[in-house]
Amino acid sequence: MYRGGIIVKTPAQIEQMAAAGAIQARCLRMLRSKCRPGVTTEELDEAAARFIASQGAEASFLGYRGFPKSICTSPNSMVVHGIPGPHELRRGDEISLDVGVTKDGWVADAAITVPVGPVDPDAERLLGTTRAALEAAVAEARAGNHLGDVSAAIQRTVESAGLSIIRSLVGHGIGRAMHEDPQIPNFGEPGHGPQLKTGMVVAIEPMVTMGSYDVRILDDGWTAVTKDGSLAAHFEHTIAVTDNGPDVLTRRAA
């Protein structure tokens, strides 16, 4: 069903998305455990590809608009869409892991940023703030609220900590397609934008930097990095709006 261009899912369809989300959550837990010094981002990609296939699912990113790998790996000043390769993780790095899973035609999308061993206090603050911004946004994903309430919660959390929100990259609706309406900026005004309705499913993904919010795209056509070289972090969940409040489909126990 369409409501203002937004595809509303049935409870049964949301459960199908939750099945993809459970696989996705287990995959991220596995990848987190592998983020050690000396591990390459290519090795992380290969581990994710094997795991997702073992669950009878597909890596949503592989081949999407020509993307060449199964997951996105974005260390340090990379914001999103980093292509796995020979880069070796080092002690003190932080790396964003973005994973999409398609199961029986339904997509779930989520991301985490994890430290590689101990990191400095500024990096800890960046990770903690970005995670808190996502949780604040999830709490606003309730029927009757507006998308602006979700966006404003992220902005309020991030800017109160003295950090910057990436403004040129946004969250999105999700379902049978990776990207559906609506777009979800990580900044905005409460009470503005489309009203949230039961059955809407969205991927909320704050992207935050220690410095300027300006980004540039590398020559590979995918990788977004901070222009000033500052550290970036990215957290994401797929959330269904239900009569009982937000249902985080990429957090459910499987």
Side-chain angles (χ1 to χ4, degrees), residues 24 27-28 31 48 52 61 70-72 97-101 108-111:
Q24 196 279 343
C27 185
L28 276 180
L31 291 174
I52 293 168
F61 298 166
S70 295
I71 65 173
C72 297
L97 305 168
D98 192 356
V99 177
V101 169
D109 188 10

Side-chain angles (χ1 to χ4, degrees), residues 31-39 76 89-95 113-121 123-124 127:
L31 291 174
R32 177 194 286 273
S33 72
K34 291 182 177 294
C35 288
R36 301 183 297 270
V39 173
N76 300 323
L89 301 183
R90 296 178 298 178
R91 183 181 175 89
D93 282 350
E94 46 104 324
I95 182 168
T113 305
V114 300
V116 182
V119 296
D120 65 40
E124 288 184 354
L127 298 186

Side-chain angles (χ1 to χ4, degrees), residues 155 159 165-170 185-188 207 213-215:
Q155 182 175 12
E159 293 183 348
I165 299 156
I166 302 295
R167 292 175 173 248
S168 57
L169 300 163
V170 299
N186 292 312
F187 61 97
M207 290 158 273
Y213 57 69
D214 293 319
V215 300

Side-chain angles (χ1 to χ4, degrees), residues 42-240:
E42 179 72 37
E43 289 170 331
L44 295 175
D45 182 75
E46 290 170 352
R50 287 193 300 270
F51 178 82
I52 293 168
S54 77
Q55 304 300 301
E58 300 172 3
S60 308
F61 298 166
L62 183 62
Y64 182 76
R65 298 180 181 174
F67 191 77
K69 296 291 183 176
S70 295
I71 65 173
C72 297
T73 54
S74 305
N76 300 323
S77 62
M78 289 187 187
V79 183
V80 285
H81 305 155
I83 299 174
H87 176 84
E88 287 189 6
L89 301 183
R90 296 178 298 178
R91 183 181 175 89
D93 282 350
E94 46 104 324
I95 182 168
S96 297
L97 305 168
D98 192 356
V99 177
V101 169
T102 302
K103 175 72 171 173
D104 298 327
W106 294 94
V107 185
D109 188 10
I112 56 174
T113 305
V114 300
V116 182
V119 296
D120 65 40
D122 282 341
E124 288 184 354
R125 182 165 64 92
L126 172 66
L127 298 186
T129 299
T130 310
R131 190 184 302 109
L134 176 57
E135 295 303 324
V138 168
E140 295 292 338
R142 298 179 178 277
N145 280 359
H146 292 259
L147 274 181
D149 299 314
V150 173
S151 301
I154 295 170
Q155 182 175 12
R156 187 166 54 247
T157 304
V158 171
E159 293 183 348
S160 66
L163 302 176
S164 298
I165 299 156
I166 302 295
R167 292 175 173 248
S168 57
L169 300 163
V170 299
H172 51 90
I174 188 169
R176 286 195 175 274
M178 172 68 66
H179 293 102
E180 298 180 352
D181 287 336
Q183 291 192 344
I184 308 169
N186 292 312
F187 61 97
E189 295 291 332
H192 287 64
Q195 190 174 46
L196 298 174
K197 307 286 187 182
T198 294
M200 290 183 179
V201 184
V202 292
I204 300 173
E205 49 181 322
M207 290 158 273
V208 179
T209 175
M210 296 289 298
S212 168
Y213 57 69
D214 293 319
V215 300
R216 62 186 179 92
I217 306 300
L218 298 186
D219 290 343
D220 60 25
W222 283 100
T223 308
V225 301
T226 57
K227 275 191 177 180
D228 60 6
S230 59
L231 283 180
H234 174 212
F235 285 84
E236 177 182 18
H237 272 308
T238 296
I239 301 106

